[in-house]
Amino acid sequence: MTFIQTLIAFFVALGVLIVVHELGHYWVARWCGVKVLRFSVGMGKVVFSRRIGPDQTEWALSALPFGGYVKMLDAREQDLKDLPPEDLEREFTRQSVWKRFAIVAAGPLANFLLAIIVFAGLYSYGIPEPSSRLRSVPENTAAYQAGLRGGELVTAVNGESIQLWTDLRWKLLELAIERQSASLEVQRPNSSQQGATVQDTVTLRLDGLNTSDLEGDFLGKLGIDLARPRAVLGKIVEDGPAKRAGLREGDEILRVNGKPVIDGLAFVETVRSSPGKPLEIAGLRGDREFVLTVTPEPQTKNERTFGLIKAEVPMTPEMITASEAPLAAVGKAVKKTWDSSVLTVKMLGKMLIGEVSWKNITGPITIADYAGQTARIGIISYLTFIAFISISLGVMNLLPIPVLDGGHLLYYSLEVLTGRPVPERVGEIAQRAGVGILMTLMAVAVFNDIMRLMT
C-alpha cells in the first residue's frame, strides 16, 4: 500500500507541475495571438484527446507521463501553404521576438507563480513547525566554540528575524554554501532567575564545513540540533519492563548508567541501543531522587533488534504556528521563492566548479520517494514539497541549454542583440548538444537514485 501511495503522490505532483508549466505557455500564446494546435500532458503517443474551443485545440493525454508540451502553429513543423491568411498571421515564427520570448518564458514563470501561491496560502493559514530552540550542544563543535550551550532560542540570523527551525536551517545553509560566518541573536535562559531570558549575540563560523557535509546533516556537524522535551515518562504499559522495574508516569529520567540524559530523545536512543542489557536509571519523582534498574525488552523489526521498555517518552519539540496577514504572506512567499531559486542556481554553479558534489542531483526515484514521504506526513508537507519542486523545475527550464526553454530564450536574446535570428545550422548543432547534456544529467540523476537505494 505504501508503494501505491508513493506512486499516486508522485504522479499527482508531477501532473500538477506539468499542467501549470504548459498552461503558462498556452495562455501567453493565446494572449499573443498564436494559434495552439495541441495541449498535451505527457509525451509520445496520444492515448486520449478532445478538441475544444474556437481554434479546436486538441487537449490530449499521452503515453509517457514524464513531461508535456504545447504545440503551436509553426512553419518549422507544419506545411502552411494551404492556410488562410488570417491563420498565417497567427503562426509562431511570424511573431515579434518579444512575443516569442514571453511565450517561452511563461512556462517557468508559471512554476514560480505556483510556488508563490502555495507558500502564500501556507503562510496565511499558519504552519505549525518546531521553533528555533537549540538542543544541548556537544563540546568540540563550531556551535560550542561560538558560545552556544543548548536551550537558546535563535531569533535572528545576520539581522534577519526568524521564528521557525526550517528558517534557521535555510539561512545557515545559504551562508554555509558561501562559506560566510553567521551572526546569531539568541535568547538564553537566565540561570539566576527562573523563567527569565537574556539577549545575546554569537558568531558561528561555517568555514569548517566541507563539500560532503552539505550533502547530509550539516547542522549536526556544527553541533546544532532541534531541542526536545525533558525525559519525563508518560503512560506506562502494564507488564512491560518499565512497570516491572518500578518506573511511574511523571518520573523524570536524569541519568542512565551514570551518564546525564539531556532530553527524551536521548533516553529513547539509549534504550533502543540496549536490548537485553540492564540499565541503571537515576530519576526524579516529585522532589525525591531514585535509582533503579530496568532491562529493555529485545524487539526485532526489519531484521534489526532494538530495546523497548514500554513507556511513553515525549519527543515532540516546542511548536509554534507562524501565520501572516495576506499581503505579508504574499511578500514572504515571493522572497522564499526568490531565495530558493538563487540557492538552486548557486548549487548548480558550485557543482560545475567542483565545490559541491554531483551527488546532490536527484532523479525521478528520489523525487517519488520524497513525494510519498511528505504525503504521508500531511497536506502541509506535501504542498511544501510541490512548491519546492515547482521552483526547481522553473530554474532547470531557464538554464541556457538548447531544447530547454532557457536555450530558446538565449536564442531570442541573441536575436535582439544582433538583429537577426540564430542561423538554422547553428540551432541544429546546439539542439544535438543540448540533448546530449540532458541525457548526461538524467544518467547522473538515475545513477544517484540507484546508489541511494543501495546504501
Side-chain angles (χ1 to χ4, degrees):
M1 181 62 72
T2 299
F3 177 72
I4 295 175
Q5 290 174 336
T6 296
L7 282 182
I8 293 173
F10 174 59
F11 284 114
V12 167
L14 190 65
V16 169
L17 298 178
I18 291 171
V19 169
V20 167
H21 182 93
E22 300 305 333
L23 278 175
H25 291 309
Y26 172 80
W27 284 114
V28 175
R30 290 291 306 271
W31 289 335
C32 291
V34 176
K35 185 172 182 177
V36 179
L37 304 180
R38 177 185 292 164
F39 182 107
S40 176
V41 177
M43 308 291 287
K45 183 179 179 180
V46 174
V47 295
F48 172 80
S49 67
R50 185 174 180 181
R51 296 187 179 276
I52 301 174
D55 289 335
Q56 286 296 285
T57 300
E58 181 185 11
W59 295 77
L61 290 175
S62 298
L64 300 176
F66 301 101
Y69 62 92
V70 171
K71 183 178 181 180
M72 291 169 273
L73 186 63
D74 193 325
R76 298 166 297 182
E77 300 175 2
Q78 297 106 25
D79 184 2
L80 307 181
K81 63 182 180 181
D82 295 328
L83 283 179
E86 58 270 20
D87 277 354
L88 285 175
E89 294 178 1
R90 302 179 63 193
E91 190 265 332
F92 178 76
T93 63
R94 300 193 182 196
Q95 309 305 310
S96 71
V97 65
W98 296 111
K99 285 186 177 182
R100 284 177 277 139
F101 195 101
I103 292 169
V104 172
L109 292 179
N111 287 122
F112 295 134
L113 180 60
L114 172 63
I116 291 170
I117 292 172
V118 170
F119 281 137
L122 291 176
Y123 292 144
S124 296
Y125 175 76
I127 307 174
E129 287 194 47
S131 72
S132 52
R133 191 174 298 280
L134 305 183
R135 197 182 188 197
S136 180
V137 178
E139 296 184 18
N140 301 318
T141 61
Y144 194 90
Q145 293 167 5
L148 298 172
R149 296 296 181 265
E152 296 94 347
L153 179 68
V154 182
T155 58
V157 178
N158 285 9
E160 186 170 342
S161 297
I162 65 168
Q163 291 179 288
L164 307 175
W165 182 258
T166 53
D167 294 337
L168 174 62
R169 187 183 187 282
W170 183 263
K171 292 301 177 185
L172 292 182
L173 178 60
E174 288 181 317
L175 294 170
I177 290 173
E178 297 299 322
R179 299 191 177 281
Q180 298 178 9
S181 295
S183 175
L184 306 182
E185 296 178 25
V186 300
Q187 291 179 358
R188 296 182 185 275
N190 189 340
S191 57
S192 62
Q193 186 177 352
Q194 188 174 3
T197 60
V198 293
Q199 290 290 132
D200 194 8
T201 301
V202 301
T203 299
L204 177 66
R205 293 177 60 92
L206 305 176
D207 51 5
L209 295 172
N210 56 42
T211 299
S212 60
D213 292 334
L214 297 178
E215 298 167 15
D217 180 20
F218 78 98
L219 289 182
K221 296 287 184 179
L222 295 170
I224 292 177
D225 199 359
L226 177 63
R228 307 284 179 157
R230 294 175 300 138
V232 178
L233 301 184
K235 182 179 179 182
I236 309 293
V237 178
E238 293 292 335
D239 296 325
K243 185 73 172 181
R244 291 195 297 268
L247 288 171
R248 301 178 187 174
E249 184 175 346
D251 287 349
E252 181 178 355
I253 310 301
L254 302 178
R255 292 177 300 278
V256 175
N257 292 341
K259 295 182 180 180
V261 174
I262 61 174
D263 55 29
L265 177 59
F267 180 59
V268 169
E269 290 172 344
T270 299
V271 170
R272 290 179 67 87
S273 64
S274 308
K277 300 177 182 178
L279 300 176
E280 184 184 80
I281 292 178
L284 189 66
R285 182 175 297 159
D287 56 359
R288 182 175 62 87
E289 285 200 23
F290 65 87
V291 177
L292 51 79
T293 300
V294 61
T295 302
E297 184 179 294
Q299 298 283 328
T300 301
K301 185 176 182 180
N302 297 330
E303 300 182 353
R304 300 186 68 177
T305 301
F306 56 92
L308 201 67
I309 64 170
K310 297 187 177 179
E312 291 182 351
V313 182
M315 292 189 294
T316 303
E318 177 181 285
M319 304 291 288
I320 61 174
T321 300
S323 60
E324 305 282 352
L327 286 180
V330 172
K332 189 174 179 180
V334 170
K335 186 177 187 305
K336 183 72 168 181
T337 302
W338 172 259
D339 289 344
S340 301
S341 303
V342 171
L343 183 62
T344 302
V345 172
K346 286 181 178 179
M347 290 287 286
L348 290 171
K350 290 187 179 291
M351 285 183 200
L352 291 176
I353 62 178
E355 289 188 8
V356 174
S357 172
W358 288 74
K359 293 179 182 179
N360 288 284
I361 297 178
T362 58
I365 298 174
T366 300
I367 294 173
D369 182 40
Y370 287 163
Q373 290 183 35
T374 55
R376 286 190 289 275
I377 292 172
I379 186 64
I380 291 177
S381 296
Y382 186 56
L383 289 175
T384 302
F385 162 79
I386 289 177
F388 278 117
I389 294 297
S390 190
I391 292 170
S392 297
L393 181 61
V395 170
M396 293 300 294
N397 268 281
L398 286 177
L399 295 179
I401 299 175
V403 312
L404 293 180
D405 293 332
H408 293 292
L409 295 177
L410 176 61
Y411 296 159
Y412 301 148
S413 299
L414 293 174
E415 184 176 341
V416 171
L417 293 174
T418 63
R420 59 179 183 271
V422 172
E424 187 174 336
R425 178 59 178 166
V426 173
E428 290 175 358
I429 296 173
Q431 289 286 102
R432 295 192 188 100
V435 171
I437 293 172
L438 284 183
M439 294 301 293
T440 301
L441 289 174
M442 182 57 69
V444 171
V446 172
F447 175 78
N448 289 341
D449 283 355
I450 294 173
M451 293 304 294
R452 288 187 182 96
L453 288 176
M454 295 176 63
T455 56

